[in-house]
């Protein structure tokens, strides 16, 4: 006898997003980091502003957990689908210095998104990225 289980739409979304976050957290090859010369809150606000300026869809915001997931990069990066996710993870390295990791399972998109975001943050008048040795 087969048993079918069903879950409501909220549970399905929670499971899907949870799986998506786990795959982004575990991704190693499509991961690029930059240092924002600001605390977490200012870094988060700067990322949000750049995404908004670029008209990138913010799929999931979790400031308490210090991450944000966006998609819709196909508008500015044609070698991805509109549902390809890019995760942004924050970690304060020290007061006034936040590590921002840009992650996607599409490595080319991750690099493109990192460059787009880091340059965008650096263009903002009230915040900047720290130059890192190559």
């Amino acid at each position: 006898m087969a048993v079918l289980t069903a879950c409501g739409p909220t549970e399905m979304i929670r499971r899907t997003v949870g799986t998506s976050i786990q795959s982004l957290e575990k991704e190693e090859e499509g991961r690029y980091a930059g240092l924002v010369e600001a605390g977490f809150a200012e870094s988060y606000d700067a990322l949000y502003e750049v995404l908004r300026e670029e008209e990138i869809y913010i799929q999931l915001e979790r400031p308490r957990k210090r991450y944000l997931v966006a998609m819709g990069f196909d508008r500015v990066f044609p070698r991805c689908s509109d549902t390809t996710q890019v995760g942004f993870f924050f970690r304060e390295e020290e007061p006034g210095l936040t590590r921002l990791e840009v992650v996607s399972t599409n490595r080319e998109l991750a690099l493109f998104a990192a460059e787009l975001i880091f340059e965008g943050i650096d263009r903002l008048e009230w915040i900047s990225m720290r130059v890192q040795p190559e």
Side-chain angles (χ1 to χ4, degrees), residues 39-126:
F40 164 71
E42 296 87 2
S43 300
Y44 193 92
D45 290 346
L47 170 64
Y48 198 93
E49 185 169 327
V50 172
L51 290 172
R52 196 190 69 212
E53 285 174 2
E54 294 293 335
E55 298 178 6
I56 302 298
Y57 171 69
I58 297 170
Q59 178 189 17
L60 182 65
E61 296 179 65
R62 293 293 186 265
R64 284 190 190 160
K65 294 187 176 186
R66 298 190 178 218
Y67 70 80
L68 181 148
V69 178
M71 58 187 198
F73 281 88
D74 60 312
R75 198 181 70 60
V76 292
F77 185 78
R79 292 185 306 271
C80 71
S81 75
D82 62 339
T83 59
T84 304
Q85 296 177 319
V86 177
F88 300 91
F89 299 91
F90 299 84
R91 184 177 74 226
E92 280 191 281
E93 297 288 306
E94 59 187 58
L97 186 65
T98 301
R99 179 182 181 87
L100 172 56
E101 292 186 341
V102 180
V103 183
S104 179
T105 55
N106 178 331
R107 287 182 282 173
E108 288 181 58
L109 174 59
L111 178 59
F112 174 84
E115 290 172 348
L116 178 78
I117 296 304
F118 298 158
E119 289 171 10
I121 289 173
D122 216 28
R123 279 194 309 269
L124 297 173
E125 292 181 15
W126 48 276

